[in-house]
Amino acid sequence: MKRTTLLRSVSSVVLVMLALTACGSNNNNNGSNPGGGGNPAPSPSFSTVATGKLTVGSCLDYPPFEDIKKGQQPVGFDISMVDEIAKRLNLEVKWVKANFNTIFNAVSAHKFDMVAGAATITAARKKIVNFSEPYFSALLSLTVNKDKTPNITSTDQLKKGDIVGVQKGTTNAIWATKNLAPRGIVIKSFISSPDSFSDLEAGRITGVINDLPASVGIVKNRPSLAVVQPIEAGQHYGFAFAPDTPELTIAVNKAIEAIVADGTYEKIYHRFFQGPVPKEFQPK
């Protein structure tokens, strides 16, 4: 793995020389303070898979967090957050499309530097990866086909034998397995989240358990589907990193903190979501 490290000053003369040569070069010590004044402490030394790049793994099929159309650039809340983080770390973003079911093992194996995919922070995942501080809080939801089952408005109305779709490897799948499967409700796993909604459209399943913001985005162009119930599960999203790159995690945390503090988070949030920004992500 190529490494891009920050140089440490050994004398005032060397420090001056480094300051002069750094202009126009691509290193990972971003002393700038976008959106505010003052001189914040520089981020610690950190490594990236490719020099000058932040290589990010994502499913890229989970609007409004990340999505990509053929021949176009990725868009979404996660995309905008990562772009802003990379800018503050003097890095260029390189996106890698990955399978969510294996994405945490892949980042641990340094297939990329970071995972950005509406990934919920869990104790089980912490055994494989390091997480950044939370950057989003989210509810789960139940989506149904209102043409097929107009009377279902909550998971309490699901009955034995009903089939509920989830994305494989997600906390949504864990929640459904824990809370619905014991009642005899069949849990059907999909590699891609949108595929579960396609099955719901076709009437092959009864409902989909998925993150609320993503569900709202996915059903927008599927008129037969409706999000009927928000489900509180205490979820927070974080960016995931290989356990042996703690310096990069720290640097990203500093960038997230600055993005929240100077109001940039609020601007990004309102591009994709309605309503007030949660208090935990408002400037202090």
Coordinates of all heavy atoms in Angstrom, one line a residue, residues 59-114:
C59 N -21.8 1.2 -2.2 CA -22.7 0.5 -3.2 C -23.1 1.4 -4.3 O -23.4 0.9 -5.4 CB -24.0 0.1 -2.4 SG -23.7 -1.1 -1.1
L60 N -23.2 2.7 -4.1 CA -23.6 3.7 -5.1 C -25.0 3.4 -5.7 O -25.3 3.7 -6.9 CB -22.6 3.8 -6.2 CG -21.2 4.2 -5.8 CD1 -20.2 4.2 -7.0 CD2 -21.3 5.7 -5.2
D61 N -25.9 2.8 -4.9 CA -27.2 2.5 -5.4 C -28.3 2.7 -4.2 O -29.3 2.0 -4.1 CB -27.4 1.1 -5.9 CG -27.1 0.0 -4.9 OD1 -26.8 0.4 -3.7 OD2 -27.3 -1.2 -5.2
Y62 N -28.0 3.7 -3.4 CA -28.8 3.9 -2.2 C -29.2 5.4 -2.0 O -28.8 6.0 -1.1 CB -28.0 3.4 -1.0 CG -28.9 3.0 0.2 CD1 -29.8 2.0 0.1 CD2 -28.7 3.6 1.4 CE1 -30.5 1.6 1.2 CE2 -29.5 3.3 2.5 CZ -30.4 2.2 2.4 OH -31.1 1.8 3.5
P63 N -30.0 5.9 -2.9 CA -30.4 7.3 -2.8 C -31.3 7.5 -1.6 O -32.0 6.6 -1.1 CB -31.2 7.5 -4.1 CG -31.7 6.2 -4.5 CD -30.6 5.2 -4.1
P64 N -31.2 8.7 -0.9 CA -30.5 9.9 -1.3 C -29.1 10.0 -0.8 O -28.5 11.0 -0.8 CB -31.4 11.0 -0.7 CG -31.8 10.4 0.6 CD -32.1 8.9 0.3
F65 N -28.5 8.8 -0.3 CA -27.2 8.9 0.3 C -26.1 8.7 -0.8 O -25.1 9.4 -0.8 CB -27.0 7.8 1.4 CG -27.9 8.1 2.6 CD1 -29.1 7.5 2.7 CD2 -27.4 8.9 3.5 CE1 -29.9 7.8 3.8 CE2 -28.2 9.2 4.6 CZ -29.5 8.7 4.7
E66 N -26.3 7.8 -1.7 CA -25.4 7.7 -2.8 C -26.1 7.0 -4.0 O -26.8 6.1 -3.8 CB -24.1 6.9 -2.4 CG -24.2 5.4 -2.2 CD -24.6 5.1 -0.7 OE1 -24.5 6.0 0.1 OE2 -25.0 3.9 -0.5
D67 N -25.8 7.5 -5.2 CA -26.4 7.0 -6.4 C -25.6 7.4 -7.6 O -24.8 8.4 -7.5 CB -27.8 7.6 -6.5 CG -28.7 6.8 -7.5 OD1 -28.3 5.7 -7.9 OD2 -29.7 7.3 -8.0
I68 N -25.6 6.6 -8.6 CA -24.9 7.0 -9.8 C -25.7 6.6 -11.0 O -26.2 5.4 -11.1 CB -23.5 6.4 -9.8 CG1 -22.6 6.9 -11.0 CG2 -23.5 4.9 -9.8 CD1 -21.2 6.5 -10.9
K69 N -25.8 7.4 -12.0 CA -26.4 7.1 -13.3 C -25.3 6.9 -14.3 O -24.2 7.4 -14.2 CB -27.3 8.3 -13.7 CG -28.3 8.7 -12.7 CD -29.3 7.6 -12.4 CE -30.4 8.1 -11.4 NZ -31.3 7.0 -10.9
K70 N -25.6 6.1 -15.3 CA -24.6 5.7 -16.3 C -24.0 7.0 -17.0 O -24.7 7.8 -17.4 CB -25.3 4.8 -17.4 CG -24.3 4.2 -18.4 CD -25.0 3.3 -19.3 CE -24.0 2.7 -20.3 NZ -24.6 1.7 -21.2
G71 N -22.7 7.0 -16.9 CA -22.0 8.1 -17.6 C -22.0 9.4 -16.8 O -21.5 10.4 -17.2
Q72 N -22.5 9.4 -15.5 CA -22.5 10.6 -14.7 C -21.7 10.4 -13.4 O -21.3 9.3 -13.1 CB -24.0 10.9 -14.4 CG -24.9 11.3 -15.6 CD -26.3 11.6 -15.2 OE1 -26.6 11.9 -14.0 NE2 -27.2 11.7 -16.2
Q73 N -21.5 11.5 -12.7 CA -20.8 11.4 -11.4 C -21.7 11.0 -10.3 O -22.9 11.2 -10.4 CB -20.2 12.8 -11.1 CG -19.1 13.3 -12.1 CD -17.9 12.4 -12.1 OE1 -17.4 12.0 -11.0 NE2 -17.5 12.0 -13.2
P74 N -21.2 10.4 -9.3 CA -22.0 10.0 -8.1 C -22.7 11.2 -7.5 O -22.1 12.3 -7.4 CB -21.1 9.3 -7.2 CG -19.9 8.9 -8.0 CD -19.8 9.9 -9.1
V75 N -23.9 11.1 -6.9 CA -24.5 12.1 -6.2 C -25.2 11.6 -4.9 O -25.4 10.4 -4.8 CB -25.6 12.8 -7.1 CG1 -25.1 13.5 -8.3 CG2 -26.7 11.8 -7.5
G76 N -25.4 12.4 -4.0 CA -26.1 12.0 -2.8 C -25.5 12.7 -1.5 O -24.5 13.4 -1.6
F77 N -26.1 12.5 -0.4 CA -25.7 13.1 0.9 C -24.3 12.6 1.2 O -23.4 13.4 1.6 CB -26.7 12.7 2.0 CG -26.3 13.3 3.3 CD1 -26.5 14.7 3.6 CD2 -25.7 12.5 4.3 CE1 -26.1 15.2 4.8 CE2 -25.3 13.0 5.5 CZ -25.5 14.4 5.8
D78 N -24.1 11.3 1.2 CA -22.7 10.7 1.5 C -21.7 11.2 0.5 O -20.6 11.5 0.9 CB -22.8 9.2 1.5 CG -23.4 8.6 2.7 OD1 -23.8 9.3 3.6 OD2 -23.4 7.3 2.8
I79 N -22.1 11.3 -0.7 CA -21.1 11.8 -1.8 C -20.7 13.2 -1.4 O -19.5 13.5 -1.5 CB -21.8 11.8 -3.2 CG1 -22.4 10.4 -3.5 CG2 -20.8 12.2 -4.2 CD1 -21.4 9.3 -3.5
S80 N -21.6 14.1 -1.1 CA -21.3 15.5 -0.8 C -20.5 15.6 0.5 O -19.6 16.4 0.5 CB -22.6 16.3 -0.7 OG -23.3 16.4 -1.9
M81 N -20.8 14.8 1.5 CA -20.0 14.8 2.7 C -18.6 14.4 2.4 O -17.6 15.0 2.9 CB -20.6 13.9 3.7 CG -21.9 14.5 4.4 SD -21.5 15.9 5.5 CE -20.5 15.1 6.8
V82 N -18.4 13.3 1.7 CA -17.1 12.8 1.4 C -16.3 13.8 0.5 O -15.1 14.1 0.8 CB -17.1 11.5 0.7 CG1 -15.7 11.1 0.1 CG2 -17.7 10.4 1.6
D83 N -16.9 14.4 -0.4 CA -16.3 15.5 -1.3 C -15.8 16.6 -0.4 O -14.6 17.1 -0.6 CB -17.2 16.0 -2.3 CG -17.5 15.1 -3.5 OD1 -16.7 14.1 -3.6 OD2 -18.4 15.3 -4.2
E84 N -16.6 17.0 0.6 CA -16.2 18.1 1.5 C -15.0 17.7 2.4 O -14.1 18.5 2.6 CB -17.4 18.6 2.3 CG -17.1 19.8 3.2 CD -16.8 21.1 2.3 OE1 -17.3 21.2 1.2 OE2 -16.1 21.9 2.8
I85 N -15.1 16.5 2.9 CA -14.0 16.0 3.8 C -12.7 15.9 3.0 O -11.7 16.4 3.5 CB -14.4 14.6 4.3 CG1 -15.5 14.7 5.4 CG2 -13.2 13.9 4.9 CD1 -16.2 13.3 5.7
A86 N -12.8 15.3 1.8 CA -11.6 15.2 1.0 C -11.0 16.6 0.7 O -9.7 16.8 0.7 CB -11.9 14.5 -0.3
K87 N -11.8 17.5 0.4 CA -11.3 18.9 0.1 C -10.6 19.5 1.2 O -9.5 20.1 1.1 CB -12.5 19.8 -0.3 CG -12.1 21.2 -0.6 CD -13.3 22.1 -1.1 CE -14.2 22.5 0.1 NZ -15.3 23.4 -0.3
R88 N -11.0 19.2 2.4 CA -10.4 19.7 3.6 C -9.1 19.0 4.0 O -8.3 19.5 4.8 CB -11.4 19.8 4.8 CG -12.5 20.7 4.6 CD -13.6 20.7 5.7 NE -14.7 21.5 5.3 CZ -15.2 22.5 6.0 NH1 -14.7 22.8 7.2 NH2 -16.3 23.1 5.6
L89 N -9.0 17.8 3.4 CA -7.7 17.0 3.6 C -6.8 17.1 2.4 O -5.8 16.4 2.4 CB -8.1 15.5 3.9 CG -8.9 15.3 5.2 CD1 -9.2 13.8 5.3 CD2 -8.3 15.8 6.4
N90 N -7.1 18.0 1.5 CA -6.3 18.1 0.3 C -6.1 16.8 -0.5 O -5.1 16.5 -1.0 CB -4.9 18.6 0.6 CG -4.8 20.1 0.8 OD1 -5.7 20.8 0.2 ND2 -3.8 20.6 1.5
L91 N -7.3 16.1 -0.6 CA -7.3 14.8 -1.4 C -8.3 14.8 -2.5 O -9.3 15.5 -2.4 CB -7.6 13.7 -0.4 CG -6.5 13.4 0.7 CD1 -7.1 12.3 1.7 CD2 -5.2 12.9 0.1
E92 N -8.0 14.0 -3.5 CA -9.0 13.8 -4.6 C -9.8 12.5 -4.3 O -9.2 11.6 -3.8 CB -8.3 13.7 -5.9 CG -9.1 13.3 -7.1 CD -8.3 13.1 -8.3 OE1 -7.1 13.4 -8.3 OE2 -8.8 12.5 -9.3
V93 N -11.1 12.5 -4.5 CA -11.9 11.3 -4.2 C -11.9 10.4 -5.4 O -12.1 10.8 -6.5 CB -13.3 11.7 -3.9 CG1 -14.2 10.5 -3.5 CG2 -13.4 12.7 -2.7
K94 N -11.7 9.1 -5.1 CA -11.9 8.0 -6.1 C -12.9 7.1 -5.5 O -12.7 6.5 -4.5 CB -10.6 7.3 -6.4 CG -10.7 6.1 -7.3 CD -9.4 5.4 -7.5 CE -9.6 4.2 -8.4 NZ -8.3 3.4 -8.5
W95 N -14.1 6.9 -6.3 CA -15.1 6.0 -5.8 C -15.0 4.6 -6.4 O -14.6 4.5 -7.6 CB -16.5 6.6 -6.2 CG -16.9 7.8 -5.5 CD1 -16.7 9.1 -5.9 CD2 -17.4 7.9 -4.2 NE1 -17.1 10.0 -4.9 CE2 -17.6 9.3 -3.9 CE3 -17.8 6.9 -3.2 CZ2 -18.1 9.7 -2.6 CZ3 -18.3 7.4 -2.0 CH2 -18.4 8.7 -1.7
V96 N -15.2 3.6 -5.5 CA -15.2 2.2 -6.0 C -16.5 1.6 -5.6 O -16.9 1.6 -4.4 CB -14.0 1.5 -5.2 CG1 -14.0 0.0 -5.6 CG2 -12.7 2.1 -5.6
K97 N -17.2 1.1 -6.6 CA -18.5 0.4 -6.4 C -18.2 -1.0 -5.7 O -17.4 -1.8 -6.2 CB -19.3 0.2 -7.7 CG -20.7 -0.3 -7.5 CD -21.5 -0.2 -8.8 CE -22.9 -0.8 -8.6 NZ -23.7 -0.1 -7.6
A98 N -18.9 -1.2 -4.6 CA -18.7 -2.4 -3.8 C -20.0 -3.1 -3.3 O -21.0 -2.4 -3.2 CB -17.8 -2.1 -2.6
N99 N -19.9 -4.3 -3.0 CA -21.0 -5.1 -2.5 C -21.1 -4.8 -1.0 O -20.2 -5.1 -0.2 CB -20.8 -6.6 -2.8 CG -22.0 -7.4 -2.3 OD1 -22.7 -7.1 -1.4 ND2 -22.2 -8.5 -3.0
F100 N -22.3 -4.3 -0.5 CA -22.4 -4.0 0.9 C -22.1 -5.2 1.8 O -21.6 -5.0 2.9 CB -23.7 -3.4 1.2 CG -23.8 -2.7 2.6 CD1 -23.4 -1.4 2.7 CD2 -24.3 -3.4 3.7 CE1 -23.5 -0.7 3.9 CE2 -24.3 -2.7 4.9 CZ -23.9 -1.4 5.0
N101 N -22.5 -6.3 1.4 CA -22.3 -7.5 2.2 C -20.9 -7.9 2.5 O -20.6 -8.6 3.5 CB -23.0 -8.7 1.5 CG -23.2 -9.9 2.5 OD1 -23.5 -9.7 3.6 ND2 -23.0 -11.1 2.0
T102 N -20.0 -7.4 1.7 CA -18.5 -7.7 1.9 C -17.7 -6.4 2.1 O -16.5 -6.5 2.1 CB -18.0 -8.5 0.8 OG1 -18.2 -7.8 -0.5 CG2 -18.7 -9.9 0.7
I103 N -18.3 -5.3 2.2 CA -17.6 -4.0 2.1 C -16.7 -3.7 3.3 O -15.6 -3.1 3.1 CB -18.6 -2.8 1.9 CG1 -18.0 -1.6 1.2 CG2 -19.3 -2.5 3.2 CD1 -19.0 -0.6 0.7
F104 N -17.1 -4.2 4.5 CA -16.3 -4.0 5.6 C -15.0 -4.8 5.6 O -13.9 -4.4 6.0 CB -17.1 -4.2 6.9 CG -18.3 -3.3 7.0 CD1 -19.6 -3.8 6.8 CD2 -18.2 -1.9 7.2 CE1 -20.7 -3.0 6.9 CE2 -19.3 -1.1 7.2 CZ -20.5 -1.6 7.1
N105 N -15.1 -6.1 5.2 CA -13.9 -6.9 5.0 C -13.0 -6.3 3.9 O -11.8 -6.4 4.1 CB -14.3 -8.3 4.7 CG -14.9 -9.1 5.8 OD1 -14.5 -8.9 7.0 ND2 -15.9 -9.9 5.6
A106 N -13.6 -5.7 2.9 CA -12.8 -5.1 1.8 C -12.0 -3.9 2.3 O -10.8 -3.8 1.9 CB -13.7 -4.8 0.7
V107 N -12.6 -3.1 3.1 CA -11.9 -1.9 3.6 C -10.8 -2.3 4.5 O -9.7 -1.8 4.6 CB -12.8 -0.8 4.2 CG1 -13.3 -1.2 5.5 CG2 -12.1 0.5 4.2
S108 N -11.1 -3.4 5.3 CA -10.0 -3.9 6.3 C -8.9 -4.5 5.5 O -7.7 -4.5 6.0 CB -10.7 -4.9 7.2 OG -11.5 -4.4 8.1
A109 N -9.1 -5.0 4.3 CA -8.0 -5.5 3.4 C -7.4 -4.4 2.6 O -6.6 -4.8 1.7 CB -8.6 -6.6 2.6
H110 N -7.8 -3.2 2.8 CA -7.2 -2.0 2.1 C -7.5 -2.0 0.6 O -6.7 -1.6 -0.2 CB -5.7 -2.0 2.3 CG -5.3 -1.8 3.7 ND1 -5.5 -0.6 4.4 CD2 -4.7 -2.7 4.6 CE1 -5.1 -0.8 5.7 NE2 -4.6 -2.1 5.8
K111 N -8.7 -2.5 0.2 CA -9.2 -2.4 -1.1 C -9.5 -0.9 -1.4 O -9.5 -0.5 -2.5 CB -10.4 -3.3 -1.4 CG -10.3 -4.7 -1.1 CD -9.3 -5.3 -2.1 CE -9.2 -6.9 -1.9 NZ -8.2 -7.5 -2.8
F112 N -9.9 -0.2 -0.3 CA -10.1 1.2 -0.4 C -9.8 1.8 1.0 O -9.5 1.0 1.9 CB -11.5 1.6 -0.9 CG -12.5 0.6 -0.7 CD1 -13.1 0.4 0.6 CD2 -12.9 -0.3 -1.7 CE1 -14.1 -0.6 0.8 CE2 -13.9 -1.3 -1.5 CZ -14.5 -1.4 -0.3
D113 N -9.8 3.1 1.1 CA -9.4 3.8 2.4 C -10.6 3.8 3.3 O -10.4 3.8 4.6 CB -8.9 5.2 2.1 CG -7.7 5.3 1.3 OD1 -6.7 4.6 1.6 OD2 -7.7 5.9 0.2
M114 N -11.8 4.0 2.8 CA -12.9 4.3 3.6 C -14.2 3.8 3.0 O -14.3 3.6 1.8 CB -13.0 5.9 3.7 CG -14.1 6.4 4.5 SD -13.8 8.2 4.7 CE -15.0 8.9 3.6

